[in-house]
Amino acid sequence: MAKIEALNEELQKIANEELGEITQRIPKDLDAFKLWIQHQPHLKVRDDDQFLIQFLRGCKYSLEKAKGKLDLFFSLKGKYPELCNLTNVDEPKFREMNGVGFQLLPKPLNGTGPRIVAVRYNFSTSKYAIDDIFHQSCALHEAMIMNDPYACICGLVYIVDFSQATASHYLQMTPSFCKKLVIFLEKSMPLRIKSVYYIRTATAAQHFFKMLLPFFSEKLRQRIHIMGHDLSDLLQDIPPSYLPQDFGGELPLLDELASSMDDMWDKHKEYFKMNALCGCDESLRPGKPLDIDGLFGVGGSFRQIIVD
């Protein structure tokens, strides 16, 4: 019997209808996935059911797509451990970054919909690099895989606030960083991206968008909304009761919500310790080694990525 957390009735209905989940087939699907993993000498992966089920759900139970996502997920851990493979949530620098960069909002959209993620360029560039923010973001997404059924079943909505972004922030958003960000979010993470709102954008932000947007799939580009300081369109799509006061909503300020992050990291402490045993050894990969740097060629294209 599969060791996974039961979904509530509404989420199970969504999983059945949108993801093609058939509850009685889950043990068989997981067994097939684990059998493939056992024959991959280059991969050192987590094989607990709660973790693996999300790769199947995120790929709508296409085993071949789930294999590809899982492989890339752990390949990124092996190639960029400082970004993608947190092992100690008690690192002082990591803990002091609560409320900086990425942050989960407490209520899923409409009560049973996607999890909302707030992103702010509110970090001191003299103290932190954008890679530090990315490091915490990767860990945050892993925590959602294990313990957030709304993110796992209904996906994610990102609200990216550029109101505090400065020239020094933009200078850190190199093409190399943008490529890593998109590879991680779109191609390796088994969480569906439902929409992205870039808000309070200035002229300087447009250069960032021009650099970033070509990397995304056409499907995701259609889900990206770019707006200035007028947030009326955002509030029309997302009711104020699901947004913090920072975005014109009714929830507490993001800085006030940040304290809840410590509890989340404490809860997942043992999970992240196990990451020290995970990764990928390309020298053991059967066949041709995976070329992550050249994954998309010159200019890059994500047209083949399945977003939903």
Side-chain angles (χ1 to χ4, degrees):
M1 186 174 181
K3 297 179 180 178
I4 61 174
E5 293 290 330
L7 301 173
N8 65 40
E9 186 176 346
E10 286 185 279
L11 286 177
Q12 188 62 67
K13 186 173 184 290
I14 295 171
N16 295 346
E17 294 178 354
E18 295 188 11
L19 307 182
E21 182 162 300
I22 302 173
T23 307
Q24 55 268 36
R25 282 191 51 182
I26 288 177
K28 183 178 179 180
D29 292 329
L30 285 170
D31 285 345
F33 203 4
K34 290 177 183 179
L35 182 62
W36 174 80
I37 291 170
Q38 291 170 11
H39 289 86
Q40 308 309 308
H42 62 297
L43 290 178
K44 297 179 182 178
V45 310
R46 309 182 65 92
D47 63 357
D48 45 301
D49 292 347
Q50 188 66 45
F51 179 78
L52 293 180
I53 189 69
Q54 185 51 38
F55 282 83
L56 293 171
R57 285 171 169 166
C59 296
K60 296 187 176 181
Y61 282 85
S62 166
L63 181 57
E64 291 307 307
K65 291 174 182 175
K67 291 175 185 177
K69 270 193 182 289
L70 186 78
D71 193 337
L72 183 55
F73 183 85
F74 284 99
S75 294
L76 289 173
K77 283 182 176 294
K79 186 172 180 62
Y80 305 117
E82 73 286 358
L83 298 179
C84 304
N85 204 37
L86 176 69
T87 59
N88 180 12
V89 300
D90 289 326
E91 293 175 357
K93 186 176 184 179
F94 183 85
R95 286 285 184 153
E96 73 182 29
M97 288 173 58
N98 281 350
V100 177
F102 285 72
Q103 194 168 334
L104 298 183
L105 298 189
K107 297 164 61 176
L109 182 60
N110 299 322
T112 57
R115 178 64 64 189
I116 304 172
V117 181
V119 186
R120 294 183 292 171
Y121 288 93
N122 63 337
F123 61 94
S124 167
T125 54
S126 63
K127 188 174 184 180
Y128 303 114
I130 200 165
D131 284 358
D132 297 323
I133 307 302
F134 189 26
H135 185 49
Q136 190 179 64
S137 167
C138 290
L140 188 62
H141 285 78
E142 279 200 70
M144 285 191 282
I145 287 176
M146 294 301 295
N147 201 47
D148 192 330
Y150 296 99
C152 290
I153 302 302
C154 302
L156 299 170
V157 170
Y158 296 95
I159 303 175
V160 187
D161 182 8
F162 280 88
S163 62
Q164 299 179 61
T166 65
S168 58
H169 289 103
Y170 293 117
L171 287 172
Q172 292 190 8
M173 299 175 196
T174 63
S176 174
F177 167 78
C178 292
K179 188 173 182 179
K180 292 173 187 174
L181 174 68
V182 177
I183 290 173
F184 175 78
L185 290 177
E186 257 209 287
K187 200 160 190 187
S188 79
M189 285 301 302
L191 301 173
R192 299 183 295 158
I193 301 174
K194 305 301 289 186
S195 56
V196 181
Y197 295 87
Y198 290 122
I199 65 171
R200 295 166 175 158
T201 59
T203 302
Q206 302 305 316
H207 299 293
F208 172 61
F209 297 135
K210 288 177 182 178
M211 179 172 60
L212 183 60
L213 290 178
F215 289 119
F216 287 118
S217 65
E218 178 61 30
K219 195 169 188 176
L220 183 54
R221 273 182 282 186
Q222 293 175 2
R223 299 180 183 186
I224 293 176
H225 312 272
I226 301 173
M227 54 190 70
H229 288 269
D230 182 357
L231 303 184
S232 56
D233 287 344
L234 174 68
L235 293 168
Q236 193 170 43
D237 291 348
I238 303 177
S241 57
Y242 299 100
L243 293 172
Q245 294 173 28
D246 312 66
F247 302 155
E250 300 170 0
L251 294 176
L253 293 166
L254 286 170
D255 287 343
E256 295 173 18
L257 294 170
S259 60
S260 64
M261 299 285 284
D262 272 322
D263 293 337
M264 186 191 69
W265 298 128
D266 288 340
K267 183 175 182 178
H268 292 86
K269 189 176 298 188
E270 292 304 315
Y271 169 90
F272 286 106
K273 280 184 180 178
M274 292 296 294
N275 271 350
L277 305 176
C278 299
C280 175
D281 184 346
E282 282 298 329
S283 68
L284 299 177
R285 179 187 292 274
K288 185 178 180 181
L290 178 64
D291 179 12
I292 294 177
D293 290 331
L295 199 55
F296 305 101
V298 178
S301 174
F302 284 82
R303 289 184 174 84
Q304 300 303 313
I305 293 173
I306 303 299
V307 179
D308 183 2

